[in-house]
Amino acid sequence: MNTKINGFTLLELLVVMVIIGLLAGLVAPRYFGQVGKSQVKVAAAQIDSLDKALVQFRLDADRFPTSEEGLSALNEQPTDVVSWYGPYLKKAVPADPWGRPFLYKEPGEHGDFDLYTLGKDGRPGGTAENADITNW
């Protein structure tokens, strides 16, 4: 009676695991680098969309929302605005890709209003993923 059990040896399993580890080590940094670039692009697109909604608000109300009213004025009519024809966004004001609210100031230092996010690190300045993303 000759029964043979088929399977992998420990050495074969270790070789496969080493190969998978090497491949992951080469591919993962490139993949995660692309995720960071994608978040920056999403933030820029969100700022552009909010910028256009703010301009539409101004066309209707003859002014931009105040800093106190903030971006919520795009979805909820401020009490002193008679000619509000919103909501100007289909959904609630989104958070930036890193989960923080967009920053809005009216009047702005760089134009009628400043709209920005501080990037991945949440601090002013920075480079690459940590750079501020603005409407100016």
Side-chain angles (χ1 to χ4, degrees):
M1 186 168 178
N2 190 6
T3 57
K4 184 176 180 185
I5 300 174
N6 292 328
F8 296 105
T9 66
L10 181 59
L11 183 60
E12 292 170 328
L13 289 173
L14 288 174
V15 168
V16 169
M17 288 174 56
V18 167
I19 291 171
I20 291 172
L22 289 172
L23 289 174
L26 293 173
V27 173
R30 291 182 187 164
Y31 170 75
F32 289 115
Q34 295 301 320
V35 170
K37 289 179 187 175
S38 297
Q39 289 175 320
V40 169
K41 289 179 182 178
V42 166
Q46 287 175 316
I47 284 178
D48 184 56
S49 176
L50 291 169
D51 188 281
K52 289 175 181 169
L54 287 162
V55 168
Q56 186 62 47
F57 179 99
R58 185 186 66 82
L59 290 173
D60 291 345
D62 203 31
R63 68 171 179 83
F64 287 106
T66 64
S67 294
E68 292 77 28
E69 293 167 341
L71 297 175
S72 63
L74 297 173
N75 286 331
E76 300 168 12
Q77 183 174 1
T79 55
D80 66 331
V81 177
V82 177
S83 56
W84 187 87
Y85 300 108
Y88 299 96
L89 298 173
K90 291 182 181 180
K91 298 178 181 177
V93 177
D96 72 10
W98 302 280
R100 292 184 300 273
F102 284 98
L103 303 170
Y104 173 76
K105 185 168 42 166
E106 189 281 331
E109 296 174 13
H110 304 278
D112 292 328
F113 62 91
D114 292 348
L115 178 62
Y116 58 102
T117 180
L118 298 176
K120 184 178 181 179
D121 64 357
R123 292 183 289 175
T127 58
E129 295 173 42
N130 296 328
D132 300 348
I133 302 158
T134 67
N135 71 322
W136 61 85

